[in-house]
């Protein structure tokens, strides 16, 4: 079953083909070449953004068809059709590079027939590649937007939609291709730009760190520190997944990396298989919340908001820590309820030797934080410098190990070089889905800008909610969860940020509640991540249930229950932006806000688990939920009510036999 989980990672993250011979070397060479190109372009720093994005997408399209088989395609070889599709994708993307001067200067934004043909080809190949790699939902949604852009009295499809939805006159095909293909307002827009700059470098850094052995080091440290506590393996899983989230932005690969070790240990100390798998699902899904290296969507959020990424990671820090602290408390309450114990200290790995053997893995992370926050370097420059740091670290590590093992310096250099090349390939292969998702989502963003559909959506949401802000947020939450069942987190966030966030901000203002834009963006970002563990489409739960040998549905539902704390946290910082370190007047005020939020989330978790000091009765769970909801809304009175309810339940349980 663990093998099945590894195959799931292989299919979702690296493509499902297991090639031998020339095909394998082609994929390896493409991956390494893509990574080297991105490093060269970042170091050069003068490559035109549109050209950079076109080359970035060309590599992604090639790997999409060569590494990912069609639904019933062979996995051991690459069919001629896939070679042809890869070639068409490369030609369509690189045409922008070849005729860049003509597109941007000579024709003044008016596409020629050849431009329209190449744009049509590229759009079609992009949607087919996205269907193959990230699933059908994103290309279908993008296609619906394309049809909407063509609808209208002056459009290619000259029928008129209802007045509240028909907010534009309609576009001809050539006009649409001019928007999506020959400008930076469609395929080559901000989302793909972020993928081609910040995101690629951070993913590559994570791949190199993983190849060096940091993932195993983080797991061992967490286990050595926490394994002996009550329910220790589950607590180790939470901490290890938080640390591994720095290395891997994928919830599925995070589950397999840490879960292969922690899930059997959780089962050994008494966690039921479904709960053991669910703990890993919840902790791995939240890896994208943890600064300094958050998911790809976080970099796009910084661009959309027009703020430095360093500012965003400081804003996101407290909620991320609260999310993991509450999950830690949740697994502790579960351990108390189940009467579990920890692993005997004699069976745990000693912490000292682990730290001595892997302390150097912390150095690149420390440098990255210093470069971002201390030196205030741009994210791409900080990541590039850290990657160079990693290259030296890998070579030094392997030389030292070979020297100690008596194999010689030359052997160490060769082994280090092999790890570096494997890391370069893994980083590129891990970027295929992100590049295709951002390019496809860019189509949606371009059409939203072109048609003004967001204004119509505001009217629809206002009618459905009656102007009630809570209902507006619930609709946004449900939309994000629904989209997240078919879209990767990055694409989900882009769609929500383009369509729903402006609606939330506008209706919040109408309701007399001023919300900082970053709070609204973080709100949909959190629910997009939560969608990763929402059944029926919850790949992380599939991987965890395979390792735990548990029922998928029970594991997925339990994981979703654990993830509900993330939903409460999103509402908390929406109504109390000071949790995002916005407008905090003093240190004392900040401490009080954080502690009240932690208390509210603890009450929420205790209500869901059904245990605080003792097993909670139904009315006690209701009071705990009321305490949690009271602490969502900022204010001294609501905080005191929440605190009072929490203490009352605790006191009753202490007195109850």
């Amino acid at each position: 079953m663990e093998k099945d989980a590894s195959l799931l990672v292989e299919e979702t993250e690296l493509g499902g083909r297991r090639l031998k011979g020339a095909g394998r070397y082609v994929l390896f060479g493409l991956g390494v070449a893509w990574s080297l190109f991105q490093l060269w372009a970042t170091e050069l720093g003068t490559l035109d953004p549109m050209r950079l994005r076109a080359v970035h997408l060309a590599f992604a399209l090639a790997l999409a068809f060569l590494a990912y088989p069609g639904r019933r395609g062979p996995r051991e070889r690459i069919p001629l059709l896939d070679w042809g599709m890869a070639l068409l994708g490369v030609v369509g993307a690189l045409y922008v590079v070849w005729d860049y001067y003509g597109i941007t200067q000579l024709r003044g934004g008016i596409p020629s027939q050849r431009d329209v043909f190449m744009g049509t080809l590229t759009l079609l190949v992009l949607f087919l590649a996205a269907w193959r790699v990230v699933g059908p939902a994103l290309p279908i949604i993008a296609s619906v937007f394309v049809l909407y852009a063509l609808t209208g009295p002056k459009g290619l499809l000259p029928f008129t939609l209802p007045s509240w939805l028909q907010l534009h006159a309609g576009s001809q095909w050539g006009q649409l291709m001019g928007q999506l293909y020959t400008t930076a307002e469609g395929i080559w827009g901000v989302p793909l730009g972020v993928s081609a700059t910040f995101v690629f470098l951070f993913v590559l850094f994570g791949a190199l760190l993983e190849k060096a052995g940091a993932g195993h080091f983080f797991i061992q440290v967490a286990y050595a520190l926490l394994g002996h506590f009550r329910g220790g393996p589950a607590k180790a899983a939470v901490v290890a997944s938080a640390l591994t989230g720095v290395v891997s932005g994928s919830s599925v690969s995070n589950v397999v990396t840490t879960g292969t070790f922690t899930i059997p240990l959780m089962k050994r100390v008494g966690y039921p298989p479904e709960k053991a798998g669910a703990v890993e699902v919840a902790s791995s899904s939240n890896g994208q919340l943890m600064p300094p290296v958050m998911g790809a969507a976080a970099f796009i959020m910084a661009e959309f908001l027009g703020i430095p990424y360093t500012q965003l990671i400081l804003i996101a820090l407290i909620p991320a820590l609260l999310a993991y602290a509450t999950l830690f408390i949740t697994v502790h309450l579960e351990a108390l309820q189940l009467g579990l114990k920890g692993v005997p200290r004699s069976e745990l790995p000693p912490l000292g030797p682990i730290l001595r053997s892997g302390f150097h893995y912390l150095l690149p992370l420390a440098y990255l934080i210093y470069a971002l926050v201390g030196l205030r370097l741009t994210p791409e420059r900080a990541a590039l410098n850290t990657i160079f740091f990693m290259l030296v670290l890998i070579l030094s590590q392997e030389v030292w190990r070979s020297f100690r093992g008596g194999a010689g310096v030359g052997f160490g250099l060769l082994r280090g070089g092999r790890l570096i090349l494997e890391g370069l390939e893994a980083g590129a292969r891990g970027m295929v889905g992100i590049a295709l998702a951002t390019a496809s989502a860019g189509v949606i963003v371009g059409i939203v800008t072109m048609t003004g559909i967001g204004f119509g959506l505001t009217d629809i949401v206002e009618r459905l909610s009656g102007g009630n802000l809570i209902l507006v947020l619930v609709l946004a939450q449900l939309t994000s969860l629904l989209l997240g069942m078919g879209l990767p987190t990055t694409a989900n966030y882009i769609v929500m940020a383009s369509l729903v966030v402006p609606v939330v901000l506008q209706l919040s203002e109408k309701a007399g509640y001023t919300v900082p834009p970053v709070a609204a963006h973080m709100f949909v970002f959190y629910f997009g991540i939560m969608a990763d563990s929402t059944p029926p489409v919850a790949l992380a739960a599939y991987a965890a249930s395979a390792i735990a040998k548990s029922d998928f549905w029970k594991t997925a539902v339990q994981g979703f229950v654990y993830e509900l704390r993330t939903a409460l946290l999103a509402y908390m910082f929406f109504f109390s932006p000071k949790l995002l370190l916005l407008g905090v007047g003093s240190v004392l005020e900040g401490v009080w806000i954080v502690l009240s939020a932690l208390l509210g989330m603890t009450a929420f978790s205790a209500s869901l688990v059904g245990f605080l000091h003792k097993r909670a009765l139904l009315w006690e769970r209701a009071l705990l939920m009321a305490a949690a909801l009271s602490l969502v809304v900022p204010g001294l009175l609501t905080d005191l009510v929440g605190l009072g309810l929490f203490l009352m339940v605790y006191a009753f349980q202490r007195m109850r036999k």
Side-chain angles (χ1 to χ4, degrees):
M1 295 296 282
E2 292 175 17
K3 184 179 179 182
D4 294 339
S6 298
L7 288 176
L8 179 62
V9 175
E10 183 180 334
E11 292 180 3
T12 57
E13 303 299 324
L14 301 177
R17 284 206 168 105
R18 287 169 285 172
L19 303 173
K20 296 179 181 179
R24 174 70 187 101
Y25 291 115
V26 168
L27 290 184
F28 183 83
L30 276 174
V32 172
W34 191 7
S35 291
L36 292 176
F37 166 76
Q38 297 286 163
L39 294 173
W40 171 78
T42 306
E43 178 62 35
L44 186 66
T46 57
L47 196 61
D48 178 84
M50 195 165 171
R51 286 173 169 164
L52 171 62
R53 297 167 191 181
V55 176
H56 180 78
L57 185 59
F59 274 111
L61 290 171
L63 284 170
F65 289 105
L66 299 181
Y68 291 78
R71 185 175 179 182
R72 297 180 181 177
R75 297 182 180 274
E76 296 78 23
R77 62 181 178 83
I78 303 173
L80 187 61
L81 177 62
D82 285 359
W83 284 108
M85 294 300 295
L87 180 61
L88 289 177
V90 170
V91 170
L94 294 187
Y95 172 78
V96 173
V97 179
W98 177 73
D99 197 22
Y100 177 78
Y101 183 73
I103 290 172
T104 59
Q105 302 295 326
L106 293 182
R107 295 188 283 280
I110 302 175
S112 66
Q113 288 186 345
R114 188 175 64 189
D115 295 340
V116 173
F117 174 78
M118 297 304 293
T120 304
L121 172 67
T122 306
L123 189 67
L124 178 61
V125 174
L126 171 63
F127 284 175
L128 290 173
W131 188 299
R132 182 174 291 201
V133 176
V134 300
L138 181 56
I140 289 174
I141 293 171
S143 298
V144 170
F145 274 83
V146 168
L147 291 175
Y148 174 74
L150 298 173
T151 303
K154 296 182 180 180
L156 181 65
L157 306 175
F159 55 86
T160 305
L161 298 171
S163 58
W164 51 268
L165 189 56
Q166 189 66 64
L167 302 173
H168 67 115
S171 301
Q172 294 295 315
W173 186 253
Q175 182 184 356
L176 181 61
M177 285 300 98
Q179 170 80 4
L180 298 181
Y181 184 69
T182 65
T183 72
E185 298 294 331
I187 294 173
W188 320 115
V190 169
L192 185 62
V194 174
S195 173
T197 50
F198 313 137
V199 178
F200 192 102
L201 295 175
F202 278 89
V203 169
L204 179 56
F205 163 63
L208 290 168
L209 198 58
E210 173 65 28
K211 287 294 178 183
H216 181 70
F217 167 71
F218 292 149
I219 296 169
Q220 290 292 317
V221 167
Y223 187 47
L225 282 172
L226 302 168
H228 64 283
F229 288 106
R230 188 186 295 270
K235 294 170 181 174
V238 173
V239 174
S241 293
L243 294 172
T244 306
V246 174
V247 179
S248 168
S250 163
S251 56
V252 178
S253 60
N254 197 333
V255 165
V256 174
T257 301
T258 58
T260 303
F261 182 77
T262 58
I263 290 175
L265 289 171
M266 282 189 264
K267 291 171 62 179
R268 177 188 161 192
V269 298
Y271 279 95
E274 288 76 18
K275 290 193 175 184
V279 168
E280 191 58 58
V281 169
S283 53
S284 294
S285 297
N286 286 167
Q288 295 180 70
L289 303 178
M290 185 60 68
V293 183
M294 300 167 69
F299 294 95
I300 297 172
M301 188 191 306
E303 287 294 303
F304 280 176
L305 289 166
I307 63 175
Y309 181 69
T310 50
Q311 183 179 344
L312 181 64
I313 61 177
L314 291 175
I315 288 171
L317 179 61
I318 297 301
L321 293 176
L322 283 172
Y324 272 106
T326 311
L327 183 57
F328 194 92
I329 292 170
T330 301
V331 299
H332 178 69
L333 294 176
E334 287 278 25
L336 290 174
Q337 182 171 227
L338 295 169
L340 306 183
K341 299 187 180 298
V343 177
R345 284 185 180 271
S346 59
E347 298 180 20
L348 294 174
L351 181 60
I354 292 174
L355 289 176
R356 286 194 296 272
S357 67
F359 179 79
H360 57 286
Y361 295 131
L362 302 176
L363 298 178
L365 292 172
Y367 172 77
L368 179 62
I369 296 172
Y370 173 67
L372 286 170
V373 180
L375 299 178
R376 296 188 179 276
L377 299 180
T378 61
E380 58 264 47
R381 173 49 64 178
L384 183 66
N385 290 353
T386 309
I387 287 171
F388 292 149
F389 191 137
M390 277 302 308
L391 299 182
V392 174
L393 182 143
I394 290 174
L395 289 174
S396 302
Q397 168 186 278
E398 296 308 313
V399 166
W400 173 247
R401 288 176 177 174
S402 295
F403 177 76
R404 291 190 64 188
V409 173
F411 181 77
L413 288 173
L414 286 174
R415 192 164 61 180
R418 179 175 58 81
L419 287 177
I420 288 171
L421 290 176
E422 289 176 357
L424 293 175
E425 184 206 14
R429 294 279 288 271
M431 277 299 302
V432 175
I434 295 173
L436 296 177
T438 51
S440 302
V443 172
I444 298 172
V445 175
I447 292 174
V448 169
T449 304
M450 185 180 185
T451 61
I453 189 176
F455 297 108
L457 189 62
T458 302
D459 292 337
I460 296 171
V461 173
E462 188 169 18
R463 289 178 187 179
L464 289 174
S465 65
N468 185 289
L469 183 56
I470 297 295
L471 287 180
V472 171
L473 294 177
V474 170
L475 287 172
Q477 166 192 337
L478 294 176
T479 303
S480 186
L481 289 175
L482 184 62
L483 285 175
M485 292 182 187
L487 299 184
T489 305
T490 305
N492 187 0
Y493 166 73
I494 294 170
V495 173
M496 293 294 292
S498 303
L499 287 174
V500 178
V501 167
V503 175
V504 170
L505 292 174
Q506 186 173 342
L507 295 182
S508 297
E509 190 173 351
K510 278 190 176 182
Y513 188 79
T514 303
V515 181
V518 68
H521 280 264
M522 288 282 290
F523 183 87
V524 300
F525 175 57
Y526 264 55
F527 280 106
I529 289 174
M530 187 175 169
D532 276 357
S533 54
T534 302
V537 183
L539 291 179
Y542 277 107
S545 62
I547 297 170
K549 300 178 182 178
S550 61
D551 179 81
F552 162 73
W553 281 101
K554 291 180 180 178
T555 304
V557 170
Q558 185 64 60
F560 179 75
V561 170
Y562 288 152
E563 274 291 80
L564 285 174
R565 78 195 194 288
T566 310
L568 181 70
L569 182 58
Y571 280 91
M572 279 184 167
F573 63 63
F574 185 89
F575 287 106
S576 180
K578 291 182 178 180
L579 260 181
L580 303 175
L581 302 180
L582 300 175
V584 177
S586 64
V587 174
L588 184 61
E589 182 186 13
V591 171
W592 174 257
I593 289 169
V594 171
L595 290 179
S596 64
L598 181 60
L599 178 65
M601 293 184 68
T602 301
F604 185 75
S605 295
S607 177
L608 290 179
V609 172
F611 192 94
L612 184 58
H613 179 67
K614 294 179 180 177
R615 189 179 298 275
L617 303 174
L618 186 61
W619 65 269
E620 292 174 331
R621 296 178 75 166
L623 286 181
L624 287 170
M625 185 61 70
L629 295 178
S630 296
L631 290 160
V632 170
V633 183
L636 181 61
L637 179 60
T638 53
D639 286 352
L640 290 176
V641 168
L643 176 62
L645 290 173
F646 183 87
L647 292 176
M648 183 170 65
V649 172
Y650 182 76
F652 275 122
Q653 290 200 348
R654 292 281 296 185
M655 292 186 293
R656 178 159 51 88
K657 294 183 179 179

